[in-house]
Amino acid sequence: MKRLPLPKPESRSYALLQALIAGPGTFYQIAERAGFDIEEAGIEHRLRMIFARGIQGHVRVSGILYELKDASRDAMLGIKPSLQGQVAAPHFRGVAGAMPVLVVRRHAAEARP
C-alpha cells in the first residue's frame, strides 16, 4: 500500500498532525495542542475544513476523537516502513501434509449453461 504524502511542514495540517502525535483528542484539544486560537476570526472554520478531510487522509475518527493512523505516525516520527514480502503463497497456512479430498464431478450436460 502506498503511503500518503505528508503536508508541508509550514502548513496548518502539519501542525495538527504534530499535535496528534501526543495522542488522540477532540477537535478543541488538538487545536489547543497545536497552538491555534479558536477565538481568532475565521480560524475555527478553516480548521474544521482541514479536519473534515481527515487532515489529508492521515487521521481516523472514533466517535468524537481524532487519532493519527499508524503509518502516518511512523512517517511523522521518521520511522521507515519495514519491507514486507510474501513468504508463501496465500493458500499456504503452515506445515504441508496429506489431507483427504472430496472430488465431485458433474455430467457434461449439467456443466454447460
Side-chain angles (χ1 to χ4, degrees):
M1 181 196 273
K2 188 176 177 185
R3 185 184 277 185
L4 293 171
L6 290 174
K8 294 180 181 178
E10 62 275 0
S11 68
R12 288 186 184 113
S13 296
Y14 192 83
L16 292 169
L17 290 177
Q18 285 285 356
L20 277 163
I21 288 176
T26 64
F27 170 81
Y28 294 106
Q29 290 170 337
I30 296 165
E32 183 179 330
R33 276 189 231 155
F36 292 111
D37 182 15
I38 298 294
E39 302 290 323
E40 189 178 322
I43 195 74
E44 182 175 3
H45 175 71
R46 290 184 188 114
L47 292 179
R48 288 211 181 267
M49 293 301 292
I50 293 170
F51 273 87
R53 295 184 196 111
I55 308 179
Q56 297 182 3
H58 295 283
V59 175
R60 74 172 76 79
V61 182
S62 301
I64 62 169
L65 292 179
Y66 293 88
E67 59 183 323
L68 200 54
K69 292 180 180 177
D70 294 335
S72 299
R73 179 180 307 281
D74 292 347
M76 292 291 291
L77 296 173
I79 300 170
K80 301 235 185 241
S82 62
L83 298 175
Q84 296 177 349
Q86 188 171 344
V87 177
H91 63 275
F92 185 74
R93 298 284 187 261
V95 179
M99 297 178 71
V101 176
L102 176 63
V103 178
V104 179
R105 295 187 181 159
R106 289 190 249 166
H107 294 292
E110 292 179 17
R112 294 188 181 182

